[in-house]
Amino acid sequence: MKIHAVIITSLLFLFCTGKNPEKAPLTTKSIKNTSTKHPKFNSYWYGGKAEITSYKLTQARYGEVHEGTAVHIYVTEDFLPEKQVKADGQSAQNIPILKLNSTKKFVTGIYPYSIMTSSFSPIASEEQALKISFSAQEWCGNTFIQLNNRRNFEIDFHSYFESDADRKRSLEKKILENELWNRLRISPENMPLGNIAIIPSFEFLALHHKEIKSYAAVATLKTLGNSQFYKLSYPKLKRTLTIKISKEFPYYIQSWEETLTKRGKTLTSKGQKISTILSAYWTKNGVGNTAERKALGL
């Protein structure tokens, strides 16, 4: 129990709008390491900063490709498994997670899109993501999806579309495409491969009005030069997703390509890395804190 208490104490770190945003960062001495994590994992991810990467985005929408920007914000946090939110204080129930906030902004004609997906993945186990949330805002309205990992996957779906009106679903647990972006950063050698049943990203399902369920896919991981390529192919959906990461730790996501054939037309969305910084961004919300945005090319 004493060892467990030391571990939990070391994992307490609050971000963004927490009650103690300037609390000292996590130390790495007592954070448990496992065989699935790189030896430098703790020193990199528990240094008291988030990893922020900007991308040049070309996004397929409405039969055309639109330019924009994407940003990935990776950060470690303590998570309450029952409430399924970031912990505000010390608790023996806290679970250390790697969180990805993935954002996309692009303009279609006269009106803009703003998309964000948050994925919360346990670090010290092979368990699935504890929570996924997705939201999209554009001039037609809002769409929001939240998945909570309980006995089953419990899903809330809210949209301004009649066909996607407010509804709840309970799904049998399958691999989640959204969680794979975190798993690539933690241990790419443990990615699911071969013929798999997988729930596609909430962004894809929502924007293309597809049923939220698992679909058959083929997953591969290949190494070429200094990079690794993780690819998902969905035959029924006529969709592929390829994520390129660095071969060496910390397995930076360098780019991605999503190709979809719809109504006989094939279009590809792409994200190409611009810049990566490490920053305690939650402490930099003043008018003068803009230098790092420039460093990111935003």
Side-chain angles (χ1 to χ4, degrees):
M1 290 298 293
K2 291 183 179 179
I3 295 175
H4 184 67
V6 171
I7 293 174
I8 294 302
T9 300
S10 69
L11 291 173
L12 182 58
F13 188 41
L14 303 178
F15 296 101
C16 296
T17 57
K19 295 179 180 179
N20 300 298
E22 297 182 358
K23 188 177 178 70
L26 287 164
T27 60
T28 63
K29 294 181 179 179
S30 58
I31 297 172
K32 182 179 179 181
N33 198 359
T34 70
S35 60
T36 63
K37 295 192 312 184
H38 192 276
K40 295 181 180 179
F41 185 93
N42 289 346
S43 60
Y44 182 81
W45 287 111
Y46 289 100
K49 296 181 179 180
E51 180 199 271
I52 307 171
T53 303
S54 55
Y55 298 88
K56 178 182 178 182
L57 177 69
T58 51
Q59 182 68 38
R61 189 72 176 139
Y62 304 123
E64 296 179 310
V65 175
H66 310 272
E67 293 187 355
T69 57
V71 180
H72 286 182
I73 305 100
Y74 278 99
V75 67
T76 51
E77 291 181 347
D78 270 8
F79 194 78
L80 290 173
E82 292 301 319
K83 290 185 177 181
Q84 301 213 334
V85 293
K86 182 180 73 68
D88 282 339
Q90 180 180 346
S91 169
Q93 303 304 314
N94 290 354
I95 293 177
I97 62 161
L98 180 64
K99 180 180 74 174
L100 167 61
N101 284 337
S102 169
T103 70
K104 291 182 177 180
K105 292 184 181 295
F106 57 96
V107 175
T108 57
I110 191 174
Y111 64 95
Y113 266 79
S114 180
I115 294 172
M116 182 170 178
T117 304
S118 298
S119 306
F120 305 78
S121 299
I123 292 173
S125 73
E126 298 301 323
E127 293 181 11
Q128 289 193 263
L130 298 174
K131 182 178 179 179
I132 307 286
S133 64
F134 163 85
S135 63
Q137 299 81 40
E138 34 96 4
W139 283 6
C140 294
N142 298 320
T143 299
F144 177 77
I145 306 173
Q146 179 167 300
L147 176 148
N148 293 93
N149 185 345
R150 302 195 187 279
R151 184 181 298 273
N152 291 318
F153 285 155
E154 304 299 334
I155 297 174
D156 283 338
F157 193 116
H158 302 275
S159 173
Y160 61 90
F161 281 104
E162 179 183 1
S163 59
D164 290 333
D166 296 356
R167 50 198 167 99
K168 295 179 182 290
R169 289 206 62 185
S170 180
L171 288 181
E172 179 185 354
K173 293 183 182 181
K174 299 291 183 181
I175 298 166
L176 294 158
E177 181 183 310
N178 286 122
E179 71 185 345
L180 297 181
W181 298 79
N182 285 350
R183 293 178 66 173
L184 280 168
R185 303 304 309 275
I186 297 172
S187 54
E189 67 274 14
N190 291 326
M191 297 298 290
L193 300 174
N195 296 310
I196 58 176
I198 181 170
I199 300 172
S201 74
F202 286 167
E203 175 187 323
F204 169 78
L205 294 172
L207 295 187
H208 296 279
H209 308 288
K210 297 293 185 181
E211 182 181 356
I212 301 178
K213 66 176 186 177
S214 63
Y215 294 81
V218 179
T220 61
L221 180 64
K222 296 182 179 181
T223 300
L224 293 173
N226 294 323
S227 301
Q228 299 182 78
F229 296 81
Y230 186 70
K231 182 177 181 179
L232 293 171
S233 299
Y234 295 86
K236 185 176 180 181
L237 297 174
K238 298 181 180 180
R239 173 177 177 257
T240 63
L241 172 67
T242 302
I243 305 171
K244 178 183 177 183
I245 68 169
S246 58
K247 181 180 177 181
E248 303 298 331
F249 183 84
Y251 313 120
Y252 294 114
I253 293 176
Q254 299 169 332
S255 65
W256 68 85
E257 291 190 6
E258 179 188 16
T259 299
L260 176 66
T261 299
K262 189 174 182 180
R263 301 189 182 116
K265 188 174 184 178
T266 300
L267 293 174
T268 299
S269 301
K270 298 180 181 181
Q272 182 63 50
K273 178 181 171 180
I274 300 173
S275 180
T276 295
I277 65 171
L278 296 176
S279 174
Y281 68 87
W282 52 93
T283 67
K284 301 175 181 180
N285 48 28
V287 174
N289 298 129
T290 59
E292 289 182 337
R293 284 193 64 83
K294 295 178 181 178
L296 288 165
L298 300 174

